[in-house]
Coordinates of all heavy atoms in Angstrom, one line a residue:
Chain Z
L321 N 282.7 85.7 73.0 CA 281.5 86.3 73.1 C 280.4 85.3 73.3 O 280.6 84.1 73.3 CB 281.2 86.9 71.7 CG 282.2 88.0 71.3 CD1 281.9 88.5 69.8 CD2 282.2 89.2 72.2
S322 N 279.2 85.7 73.6 CA 278.1 84.9 73.9 C 277.9 84.0 72.7 O 277.9 84.5 71.6 CB 277.0 85.8 74.2 OG 275.7 85.1 74.2
G323 N 277.5 82.7 72.9 CA 277.4 81.9 71.8 C 278.5 81.2 71.2 O 278.4 80.5 70.2
S324 N 279.8 81.5 71.7 CA 281.0 81.0 71.2 C 281.3 79.6 71.6 O 282.2 78.9 71.1 CB 282.2 81.9 71.6 OG 282.3 82.0 72.9
G325 N 280.5 79.1 72.5 CA 280.7 77.6 72.9 C 281.4 77.4 74.3 O 281.5 76.4 74.6
K326 N 281.5 78.6 75.0 CA 282.1 78.4 76.3 C 281.5 77.5 77.3 O 282.1 76.6 77.8 CB 282.3 79.7 77.0 CG 283.0 80.7 76.0 CD 283.1 82.2 76.7 CE 281.8 82.8 77.2 NZ 280.9 83.2 76.1
S327 N 280.2 77.7 77.5 CA 279.3 76.9 78.4 C 279.3 75.4 78.0 O 279.5 74.5 78.8 CB 277.9 77.4 78.6 OG 278.0 78.7 79.1
T328 N 279.2 75.3 76.7 CA 279.2 73.9 76.2 C 280.6 73.2 76.5 O 280.6 72.0 76.9 CB 278.9 73.9 74.7 OG1 277.8 74.7 74.4 CG2 278.7 72.5 74.2
I330 N 282.8 73.8 78.8 CA 283.1 73.6 80.2 C 282.2 72.4 80.7 O 282.6 71.7 81.5 CB 283.0 74.9 81.1 CG1 283.7 74.7 82.5 CG2 281.5 75.1 81.4 CD1 283.9 76.0 83.2
R331 N 280.9 72.3 80.2 CA 280.1 71.2 80.6 C 280.7 69.8 80.0 O 280.1 68.8 80.5 CB 278.7 71.6 80.2 CG 278.1 72.5 81.2 CD 276.8 73.1 80.6 NE 276.1 74.0 81.7 CZ 276.6 75.2 82.1 NH1 277.7 75.7 81.5 NH2 275.9 75.8 83.0
Q372 N 276.7 80.5 86.7 CA 276.5 81.9 86.5 C 275.5 82.5 87.4 O 275.7 83.5 88.0 CB 276.2 82.2 85.0 CG 275.9 83.6 84.7 CD 275.9 83.9 83.2 OE1 276.0 83.0 82.3 NE2 275.8 85.1 82.8
D448 N 281.6 78.7 85.4 CA 281.0 79.2 84.2 C 280.4 80.7 84.4 O 279.3 80.9 84.9 CB 279.8 78.4 83.7 CG 279.3 78.8 82.3 OD1 279.9 79.7 81.8 OD2 278.3 78.2 81.9
E449 N 281.3 81.6 84.0 CA 280.9 83.1 84.3 C 280.4 83.3 85.6 O 279.3 83.9 85.8 CB 279.8 83.5 83.1 CG 280.3 83.2 81.7 CD 279.7 84.2 80.8 OE1 279.2 85.3 81.2 OE2 279.5 83.8 79.6
I480 N 285.4 80.7 83.1 CA 284.8 81.2 81.8 C 284.4 82.6 82.1 O 283.8 82.9 83.1 CB 283.7 80.3 81.4 CG1 284.3 79.0 80.7 CG2 282.8 81.0 80.4 CD1 283.3 78.2 80.2
H482 N 283.2 86.5 79.7 CA 283.2 87.2 78.5 C 283.9 88.6 78.6 O 283.8 89.4 77.8 CB 281.8 87.4 77.9 CG 280.9 88.0 78.8 ND1 279.9 87.5 79.4 CD2 280.9 89.4 79.1 CE1 279.2 88.5 80.1 NE2 279.7 89.5 80.0
Ligands
MG1487 MG1 277.5 80.6 78.6

Side-chain angles (χ1 to χ4, degrees):
Chain Z
L321 298 176
S322 168
S324 58
K326 307 181 297 293
S327 295
T328 310
I330 203 169
R331 280 165 176 71
Q372 179 169 5
D448 186 4
E449 304 207 24
I480 284 184
H482 60 249

